[in-house]
Amino acid sequence: ERALVVKKLAPLVHCPKCGKPAEFDDAEDSYYERASTWNVPRLPPEAESIIEGRIPTPALRMDKTVRGNLTVLWLSGTLDKTVRLRRLLDGLEGTALVIMGGLSAASPESVEALAALLEASEAEIFVARVPLAVFQMLAAKPGLVKRTKLVSVNADVTCGLCGATVETDLVAWR
């Protein structure tokens, strides 16, 4: 709406409640003087999509930390069939902990591919904070994960008294 601002005009906006045209609620002269001298910002595509009300799909991010013979892999974002999972296990040996708590979405094909890679690894692998949806995909195919040890599942739990919902990490041995 920069063209309108340059002409010292406010965009036509209607009240969402009554439908009448809204009035400019600012010192118009100072606003237009300042706004007409601003450089037009160049937003990153992700920021622009959020402003426009579209939620961007975050790409899969894998962070690796090595401490002695323990390797910790932190997964976040979207696990879909476009992700190249093989690099996830490059150089993996000893004991590995894969933390999936940051995953926002996953496709069944990518979960199966990840499970197969984890099972094929020579490392002793523990998986923690598995999103409930991913756990359900794994549970639907019982033979998929045999060697990999499931530590915990992220799930929403609801209070029976007040109905409040809280995300929690369900740990099997607790």
Side-chain angles (χ1 to χ4, degrees):
E1 298 168 339
R2 179 121 176 113
L4 286 174
V5 172
V6 170
K7 294 178 185 175
K8 297 186 178 185
L9 297 171
L12 184 59
V13 178
H14 290 85
C15 173
K17 192 172 184 179
C18 70
K20 292 184 180 177
E23 293 180 11
F24 196 83
D25 187 23
D26 201 340
E28 291 183 37
D29 292 340
S30 62
Y31 170 77
Y32 286 123
E33 182 179 325
R34 179 73 179 124
S36 64
T37 61
W38 282 344
N39 292 330
V40 178
R42 299 282 182 233
L43 293 174
E46 298 84 12
E48 195 171 317
S49 65
I50 290 171
I51 289 172
E52 292 174 357
R54 294 180 284 120
I55 306 299
T57 304
L60 180 67
R61 180 179 169 145
M62 297 177 273
D63 294 318
K64 186 185 276 190
T65 304
V66 179
R67 299 250 167 96
N69 73 338
L70 174 67
T71 301
V72 181
L73 300 169
W74 303 81
L75 303 182
S76 61
T78 301
L79 184 61
D80 61 17
K81 58 186 173 187
T82 64
V83 175
R84 294 187 181 149
L85 292 171
R86 191 157 303 281
R87 68 184 173 127
L88 175 71
L89 300 179
D90 284 348
L92 203 57
E93 55 188 44
T95 304
L97 173 62
V98 180
I99 301 175
M100 297 184 179
L103 289 179
S104 55
S107 71
E109 302 86 18
S110 61
V111 170
E112 288 180 32
L114 177 60
L117 283 173
L118 294 175
E119 287 292 305
S121 173
E122 294 180 16
E124 179 181 22
I125 298 182
F126 296 87
V127 182
R129 298 183 184 157
V130 178
L132 185 57
V134 172
F135 176 74
Q136 290 169 333
M137 289 177 209
L138 292 171
K141 299 202 174 190
L144 196 57
V145 180
K146 295 175 187 170
R147 270 187 356 96
T148 303
K149 296 164 185 78
L150 180 66
V151 177
S152 64
V153 175
N154 273 358
D156 290 340
V157 294
T158 304
C159 174
L161 295 175
C162 70
T165 301
V166 178
E167 184 181 299
T168 189
D169 198 22
L170 302 174
V171 181
W173 64 84
R174 288 188 188 158

